[in-house]
């Protein structure tokens, strides 16, 4: 009796497991539990914190170009200070694309953007806001030779300030 029973088990267990596996695959593909599918598009709310390098390397260490303040709206900016021109252009494109994305959502919760600057010292130009026209105005009024930032680069201070702005929301309450 013993050899017959062990032979039966050895031949029948793989067949039983194959049948169970096949049935589970068929039920999984048929999705018996499905009633209906609801697809909803949820767009994320972003908080962008942009820190602009305002050290002397952005304006060629003060060697070229006219003396005095440098603004994003200057006519000869691209030829005199190409790094500043590209930074201004990138910021304007970022503000425009963020505003376009916010209009797509059509919600009360809008994307927020903050602008800061760093050199030897770092500081916030615009706190997180969804007023994109104000952010453009702030960007146009930035003096890239602002004496408050200093001419050296202290990125660790900028990172610290950036994290403080990002975490401000969590420290409230």
């Amino acid at each position: 009796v013993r050899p017959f029973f062990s032979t039966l088990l050895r031949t029948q267990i793989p067949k039983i497991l194959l049948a169970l596996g096949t049935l589970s695959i068929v039920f999984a593909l048929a999705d018996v539990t499905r009633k209906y599918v609801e697809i909803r598009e949820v767009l994320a709310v972003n908080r962008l914190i942009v820190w602009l390098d305002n050290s002397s390397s952005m304006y060629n260490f003060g060697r070229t170009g006219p003396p005095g303040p440098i603004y994003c709206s200057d006519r000869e900016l691209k030829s005199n200070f190409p790094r500043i021109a590209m930074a201004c252009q990138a910021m304007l494109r970022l503000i425009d694309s963020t505003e376009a994305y916010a209009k797509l959502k059509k919600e009360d919760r809008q994307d927020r953007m903050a602008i800061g600057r760093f050199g030897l010292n770092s500081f916030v130009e615009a706190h997180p806001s969804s007023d994109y026209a104000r952010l453009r105005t702030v960007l146009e009024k930035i003096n890239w030779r602002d004496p408050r930032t200093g001419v050296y680069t202290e990125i660790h201070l900028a990172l610290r300030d950036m994290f403080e702005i990002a975490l401000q929301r969590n420290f409230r309450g």
Side-chain angles (χ1 to χ4, degrees):
V1 177
R2 202 134 183 92
F4 174 73
F5 186 67
S6 64
T7 306
L8 184 66
L9 280 177
R10 277 188 286 150
T11 59
Q12 295 303 317
I13 286 181
K15 291 177 184 177
I16 293 171
L17 291 176
L18 177 66
L20 287 174
T22 306
L23 279 174
S24 63
I25 288 172
V26 166
F27 281 123
L29 290 175
D31 197 10
V32 220
T33 60
R34 190 182 104 202
K35 292 182 182 176
Y36 60 90
V37 175
E38 179 180 330
I39 298 174
R40 187 177 359 166
E41 183 179 28
V42 179
L43 300 175
V45 175
N46 300 307
R47 286 181 181 81
L48 303 171
I49 301 171
V50 182
W51 229 248
L52 299 171
D53 181 5
N54 207 136
S55 62
S56 61
S57 65
M58 291 298 282
Y59 50 91
N60 302 327
F61 301 99
R63 289 186 218 141
T64 60
I70 304 169
Y71 298 103
C72 287
S73 57
D74 289 349
R75 288 194 179 134
E76 298 295 319
L77 187 64
K78 193 168 188 174
S79 60
N80 290 336
F81 308 105
R83 293 182 75 184
I84 293 175
M86 295 305 287
C88 292
Q89 186 179 28
M91 274 304 298
L92 285 173
R93 282 183 27 207
L94 182 64
I95 292 170
D96 291 341
S97 60
T98 305
E99 184 177 23
Y101 180 71
K103 285 180 182 176
L104 270 179
K105 291 190 288 189
K106 299 177 184 174
E107 294 180 3
D108 294 336
R109 302 178 309 141
Q110 294 293 321
D111 295 340
R112 295 180 173 275
M113 185 182 293
I115 300 175
R117 297 193 299 163
F118 73 94
L120 178 62
N121 306 307
S122 64
F123 55 91
V124 178
E125 274 297 335
H127 286 278
S129 170
S130 57
D131 183 2
Y132 304 111
R134 185 177 145 273
L135 290 170
R136 281 187 201 90
T137 305
V138 165
L139 187 63
E140 289 172 5
K141 291 183 179 179
I142 287 179
N143 175 10
W144 287 82
R145 280 194 178 138
D146 192 340
R148 295 180 295 169
T149 57
V151 294
Y152 302 107
T153 303
E154 298 290 338
I155 190 112
H156 65 283
L157 296 175
L159 289 172
R160 181 183 151 267
D161 291 344
M162 186 172 59
F163 286 127
E164 280 184 16
I165 288 177
L167 294 174
Q168 253 179 8
R169 183 179 81 109
N170 297 329
F171 290 140
R172 289 188 205 127

